[in-house]
Amino acid sequence: MNVGKAVALFCCETTFLDDSLLMVYMNKQSNPTRAVMDISSIGYAILATILALALLLLVVYIRGIIYRRKAAMANLDHVRMEGKTVIITGASAGIGKETARDLARKGARLILGCRNIPKATKVAEDIRNTTGNEDVHVKQLDTSSLASVRKFANEILVEEERIDVLILNAGIAGLDHRNLTADGLEYTMATNHFGHFLLTNILLGLIKKSRPSRIVVVASSALTSTLRVDNLNFEKGGFRSFKSYAQSKSCNVLFTRRLADLTKGEDVFVNSLNPGFVSTEIFDKSGGLMVGKFVRLFVLFTGRTEVQGAQTVIYVAASEEGGSTTGKFFKECKSSSKADALLNNEELAKQVWEASERLVDLQPNEKHY
């Protein structure tokens, strides 16, 4: 049996091709010569396709190596943060975990707001062991639940005297279908935007009292220019997994712009950032063809490490620049124009803010601007 026929037969046996192909190959009663020629041609075509895919994966892998080597580093080992309290949401894995580890090394008091307490407890213990900083604490927080956000925030107000840095990091990459939370909010939007919007508003009074202080918003470069303020929860249709993610991250950027305006001149520095394309758990529960299949596979070959992904977060949270500029978007540890189209849209930022207030039912005692 030649190579072409062997490949075709193998593909049939492993269901890559329809069973009828195997029948054509085995059926030599009518025209055995023609059958062998057809299957041989198909076999060579399959082999060529496999080789082309292998070459593509090699190119992607090489580009991934280059992308990782180009990752910017915060280079802030000299910075100390003793006496400063930092809250990080979604710090039980990925970028949040490595950001927490770095800031712990700098001496900061850390509060990890996490949904999965057993997992976060193990991470906190690991951070204590690797940094020598015992001032690392875990509290329950599910940003997809407004009740959980309010409980967490009100406990912080009672227990903490200051908040020097609030890092809004928790997020998901997008679900396969439009799912609603108990509050009637689309799940991706609730986790990535609405929960953080409510949390920041409730804590803003204490953040102002702790000034100079910072609010660091982990966004993305996956932004959309077709955001509809009257359809933030996709109740009017148009839901797609990747679209919900891009919309939530666009809201992060617009939220940054509006909050920077509202706190201007008060020594509260609000900035958003793109951590890069990072291989983390964020894609594990995502759905849809684009995010759930393609991106999850692609990130294995090209994604940066969690430590690399945390660098811009660390930079905005601890650098001199992050504490002297507001309303900006950062990428590769420096200010970027990538999100200027959104950051410069003052009216849209205001509309998203007002819509978010209504959708989270922001109470008068939760407003501090």
Side-chain angles (χ1 to χ4, degrees):
M1 182 181 294
N2 66 30
V3 175
K5 295 179 211 173
V7 171
L9 185 58
F10 170 78
C11 291
C12 290
E13 302 252 4
T14 52
T15 70
F16 286 117
L17 297 178
D18 191 85
D19 288 341
S20 59
L21 181 58
L22 183 57
M23 293 176 63
V24 171
Y25 176 74
M26 300 301 296
N27 183 11
K28 300 181 179 180
Q29 296 180 358
S30 59
N31 192 342
T33 303
R34 177 62 180 273
V36 171
M37 291 177 61
D38 287 346
I39 200 71
S40 180
S41 298
I42 295 174
Y44 281 122
I46 295 170
L47 182 59
T49 301
I50 292 173
L51 291 174
L53 288 174
L55 179 60
L56 176 61
L57 288 175
L58 179 61
V59 171
V60 169
Y61 179 72
I62 293 173
R63 288 181 64 86
I65 293 175
I66 296 172
Y67 179 63
R68 285 187 287 272
R69 287 182 175 178
K70 286 184 176 181
M73 301 300 289
N75 295 321
L76 296 175
D77 292 343
H78 62 285
V79 173
R80 304 304 302 167
M81 298 182 70
E82 283 86 357
K84 295 185 180 297
T85 296
V86 180
I87 296 176
I88 308 177
T89 68
S92 64
I95 296 170
K97 177 185 68 176
E98 294 306 327
T99 298
R101 191 188 308 279
D102 186 277
L103 299 186
R105 288 196 186 98
K106 300 183 189 310
R109 168 180 169 79
L110 290 173
I111 299 173
L112 315 183
C114 304
R115 179 183 57 81
N116 189 330
I117 293 299
K119 181 179 179 181
T121 300
K122 291 180 181 179
V123 168
E125 183 62 26
D126 178 58
I127 291 174
R128 295 187 198 103
N129 292 336
T130 56
T131 66
N133 186 342
E134 293 296 320
D135 212 358
V136 181
H137 310 273
V138 175
K139 290 186 70 66
Q140 173 75 44
L141 173 62
D142 180 355
T143 57
S144 72
S145 166
L146 299 184
S148 177
V149 171
R150 285 189 163 96
K151 182 176 183 296
F152 174 87
N154 288 321
E155 288 177 355
I156 291 294
L157 294 178
V158 171
E159 299 169 1
E160 300 298 325
E161 296 181 354
R162 60 186 302 109
I163 302 173
D164 297 277
V165 184
L166 173 62
I167 301 177
L168 307 177
N169 168 75
I172 59 175
L175 302 178
D176 195 11
H177 302 288
R178 179 179 178 265
N179 293 334
L180 299 182
T181 67
D183 304 295
L185 305 174
E186 192 277 315
Y187 197 84
T188 304
M189 284 291 297
T191 304
N192 297 359
H193 169 64
F194 291 123
H196 284 140
F197 174 87
L198 176 61
L199 176 64
T200 305
N201 271 281
I202 297 176
L203 296 181
L204 188 57
L206 182 55
I207 292 172
K208 286 183 175 182
K209 290 179 181 178
S210 308
R211 58 192 174 193
S213 48
R214 311 182 192 202
I215 298 173
V216 181
V217 186
V218 180
S220 170
S221 284
L223 306 173
T224 177
S225 60
T226 59
L227 185 150
R228 288 180 55 187
V229 179
D230 65 342
N231 195 34
L232 292 181
N233 285 304
F234 299 97
E235 60 267 39
K236 297 183 179 180
F239 177 87
R240 296 290 184 276
S241 177
F242 186 74
K243 186 174 182 179
S244 67
Y245 175 75
Q247 177 168 288
S248 70
K249 292 303 172 180
S250 298
C251 285
N252 289 161
V253 174
L254 291 164
F255 162 73
T256 299
R257 164 62 200 265
R258 183 58 179 162
L259 185 57
D261 287 346
L262 293 172
T263 57
K264 188 175 182 179
E266 298 191 60
D267 284 338
V268 177
F269 302 97
V270 190
N271 294 291
S272 57
L273 64 95
N274 169 33
F277 193 54
V278 187
S279 182
T280 70
E281 295 179 9
I282 192 173
F283 300 108
D284 289 352
K285 296 181 180 179
S286 58
L289 178 62
M290 182 63 166
V291 179
K293 304 295 188 297
F294 177 74
V295 176
R296 195 184 306 175
L297 176 63
F298 195 69
V299 75
L300 294 176
F301 295 94
T302 64
R304 288 176 174 172
T305 67
E306 295 171 349
V307 172
Q308 290 174 325
Q311 294 306 304
T312 302
V313 186
I314 295 165
Y315 182 81
V316 179
S319 70
E320 182 177 343
E321 184 179 12
S324 60
T325 187
T326 192
K328 300 295 184 180
F329 184 81
F330 285 78
K331 179 181 179 181
E332 303 289 3
C333 297
K334 60 184 178 182
S335 181
S336 169
S337 61
K338 173 68 178 180
D340 279 1
L342 289 173
L343 286 174
N344 293 334
N345 197 332
E346 180 182 359
E347 183 58 30
L348 182 59
K350 183 178 180 180
Q351 290 174 5
V352 168
W353 182 282
E354 292 173 348
S356 299
E357 281 192 354
R358 293 192 300 271
L359 289 166
V360 304
D361 192 23
L362 193 68
Q363 299 299 302
N365 66 322
E366 297 172 336
K367 296 182 181 181
H368 301 279
Y369 59 88

